[in-house]
Amino acid sequence: MSYPSQHFSRQKFSPLRLLGLVSALALATLFSAALSSTALSSTTMAPSDELQDWAAIENAAHGQTVYWNAWGGDTNVNAYISWVGAQLKSAYDIDLVHVKLDDTAAAVSRVVAEKAAGNDEQGAIDLIWINGENFAAMKKNDLLFGPMAERLPNFALTSPDTHTEMTTDFTVATEGYESPWGKAQLTFYYDADKVDSPPRSMTELLDWTRQHPGRFTYPLVPDFLGSTFLKQALIALTEDPEVLAHPASEADADTVLAPLWDYLDQLHPYLWRKGRHFPASGPKLKSLMGDGEVWLAFTFNPAEPAAAVSSYQLPPSTRSYVLDGGSIGNVHFVAIPFNASHKAGAMVTANFLLSPEAQAYKQRLDVWGDPTVLDLEVLSESQKQALTPADDQAARLPTQALSQTLPEPHPSWMEAAEAGWLKHYGQR
């Protein structure tokens, strides 16, 4: 199989993948400095004195322009970020600029290049919507500002002491270097007018696809949703899933991944277009569902199918479910680069994203449907009611149906799975 080259440009961050973006000499300088100069790291990463007091932070944020680098591939998400910008402008005179990304790696490579060039204070990026793999790489290489999460007044509303997912990202402790703002869990959805009994496990999915050729597919790797499908399959197929909680370098990765390639070899001939082509993204996969080309799909936003029904993108017969035994779930975060030019504005933005107002608006099906990270038990009754879905949308899963969440593997397994997929299927 062969695919347009632009599909493979959306790579996640790793030092090897950045060699084409910054020179090897610059990288060598960057990483040797990061590893050999603890004092420098402490100075550039630690919050300055004027950013210790929240009132002072809010005062400093007034009039700042915050450049938020975030994925721009969904119109609902983009509209929500625009709404956030309007609220920040009204309350704090902050101008929020959404720098739309195809992949977070573009932002990460910019920060790497700036540090290599000695730009420690005037970075072009103030806030990043970041995934676990990129966070692990940035944290390891001292590219983040913080700790800052604990300084955000609304962070306490997540009850981080009892909800450890608020302080752990892809098995990596966040240690205050990123702030949560939404939840996600792999959720399958199907057209009940065409599917009587959807598959409830990865093994059943293979059998179902054989019985219904062309009616299922997954996004092209390394799209995040496509890579998440690989991880879900890997967890199900691995004899000892505990090995996935540790770096791939500590295991025989080829042996661990072998069952995944065997599974995909069997699955691909029965996929949409016989596995010769894949949709480029989750939204493209949803479009295939809306057009009736596929009957079964999945998303990382549990409320997305219901929201798509409400906006007439999917038929009313759409229903959602989670695989037996649970599915991969996590919290998504925002982080501030070590050299952000407008740290105060970025912190105020991160804090607003955690406000009950912003969380309730984000959770509405006609807005985004993204689940809240707030602990309802610590909120007022009115806040709790605002964050409790009141709709009777049949495509929306009840909260209790999402209680069985499987932890994300260590970030290195995502890289290993993506590289293996490209090797096995990217050049056919």
Side-chain angles (χ1 to χ4, degrees):
M1 294 181 289
S2 62
Y3 305 100
S5 60
Q6 62 263 31
H7 287 316
F8 298 107
S9 66
R10 297 193 307 273
Q11 298 284 349
K12 307 298 187 291
F13 168 80
S14 73
L16 289 177
R17 291 171 180 168
L18 286 174
L19 288 176
L21 299 170
V22 293
S23 70
L25 178 59
L27 276 176
T29 302
L30 164 62
F31 290 115
S32 63
L35 294 174
S36 65
S37 181
T38 304
L40 176 60
S41 297
S42 299
T43 300
T44 58
M45 293 171 62
S48 56
D49 291 340
E50 64 270 20
L51 295 183
Q52 301 292 327
D53 178 71
W54 187 251
I57 292 172
E58 288 186 323
N59 185 61
H62 272 272
Q64 289 190 344
T65 298
V66 173
Y67 292 90
W68 184 4
N69 282 230
W71 181 60
D74 186 277
T75 55
N76 288 347
V77 175
N78 294 345
Y80 176 72
I81 292 177
S82 294
W83 175 84
V84 170
Q87 308 309 305
L88 292 171
K89 182 64 175 178
S90 175
Y92 302 101
D93 193 28
I94 289 174
D95 289 312
L96 184 68
V97 177
H98 179 190
V99 181
K100 297 181 177 68
L101 303 176
D102 288 333
D103 193 296
T104 312
V108 178
S109 63
R110 178 67 178 265
V111 178
V112 168
E114 288 177 346
K115 186 164 187 177
N119 181 355
D120 293 338
E121 297 181 358
Q122 299 298 319
I125 300 170
D126 298 307
L127 193 67
I128 303 177
W129 181 9
I130 196 167
N131 61 32
E133 184 183 7
N134 289 306
F135 169 72
M138 292 189 78
K139 181 171 180 281
K140 179 180 179 181
N141 294 294
D142 293 346
L143 296 176
L144 296 173
F145 169 75
M148 60 86 184
E150 291 80 0
R151 303 184 187 280
L152 309 179
N154 289 329
F155 180 66
L157 300 179
T158 68
S159 297
D161 292 339
T162 55
H163 294 85
T164 57
E165 67 271 24
M166 303 300 162
T167 55
T168 306
D169 194 359
F170 279 37
T171 75
V172 177
T174 63
E175 297 181 316
Y177 285 93
E178 60 180 354
S179 173
W181 74 298
K183 280 186 175 181
Q185 185 168 348
L186 192 67
T187 302
F188 282 74
Y189 59 100
Y190 63 99
D191 187 339
D193 284 348
K194 299 172 181 176
V195 179
D196 293 327
S197 180
R200 297 283 174 173
S201 69
M202 297 304 291
T203 300
E204 289 185 12
L205 176 62
L206 177 58
D207 294 337
W208 186 91
T209 305
R210 284 171 170 160
Q211 296 166 16
H212 304 87
R215 299 305 184 180
F216 175 74
T217 189
Y218 62 91
L220 180 69
V221 177
D223 172 80
F224 179 78
L225 190 60
S227 298
T228 300
F229 177 77
L230 298 188
K231 291 186 290 182
Q232 179 73 37
L234 183 60
I235 291 173
L237 299 168
T238 301
E239 289 187 9
D240 179 19
E242 176 61 26
V243 72
L244 302 177
H246 306 284
S249 60
E250 296 180 4
D252 184 344
D254 289 340
T255 299
V256 174
L257 291 168
L260 176 61
W261 312 136
D262 180 62
Y263 178 88
L264 295 180
D265 284 345
Q266 297 178 65
L267 180 70
H268 280 188
Y270 301 96
L271 296 181
W272 174 74
R273 295 190 176 178
K274 298 182 179 181
R276 296 191 180 98
H277 303 280
F278 294 84
S281 64
K284 293 294 185 182
L285 177 60
K286 183 172 62 179
S287 293
L288 292 179
M289 276 289 292
D291 293 340
E293 290 198 51
V294 298
W295 296 351
L296 175 70
F298 56 93
T299 175
F300 212 47
N301 177 358
E304 182 180 12
V309 170
S310 296
S311 61
Y312 306 103
Q313 298 177 70
L314 292 177
S317 52
T318 301
R319 299 294 183 268
S320 303
Y321 71 102
V322 173
L323 297 177
D324 291 347
S327 61
I328 286 179
N330 63 29
V331 171
H332 52 94
F333 297 81
V334 293
I336 302 173
F338 81 102
N339 64 342
S341 298
H342 309 105
K343 295 183 176 72
M347 292 176 72
V348 169
T349 300
N351 187 62
F352 177 75
L353 293 174
L354 285 172
S355 67
E357 174 193 4
Q359 290 279 304
Y361 188 73
K362 177 167 62 75
Q363 190 171 263
R364 283 171 43 177
L365 288 183
D366 60 344
V367 175
W368 180 357
D370 192 49
T372 184
V373 293
L374 303 186
D375 181 359
L376 299 187
E377 297 305 313
V378 303
L379 302 180
S380 69
E381 192 59 36
S382 61
Q383 291 170 339
K384 188 182 303 185
Q385 290 179 3
L387 283 159
T388 301
D391 58 85
D392 56 357
Q393 167 63 261
R396 187 170 195 157
L397 280 175
T399 303
Q400 58 269 28
L402 299 167
S403 60
Q404 207 165 0
T405 303
L406 302 179
E408 287 273 7
H410 187 275
S412 58
W413 285 107
M414 188 171 189
E415 287 197 357
E418 288 175 348
W421 193 95
L422 293 173
K423 176 182 177 181
H424 283 79
Y425 310 110
Q427 303 301 325
R428 291 186 182 181

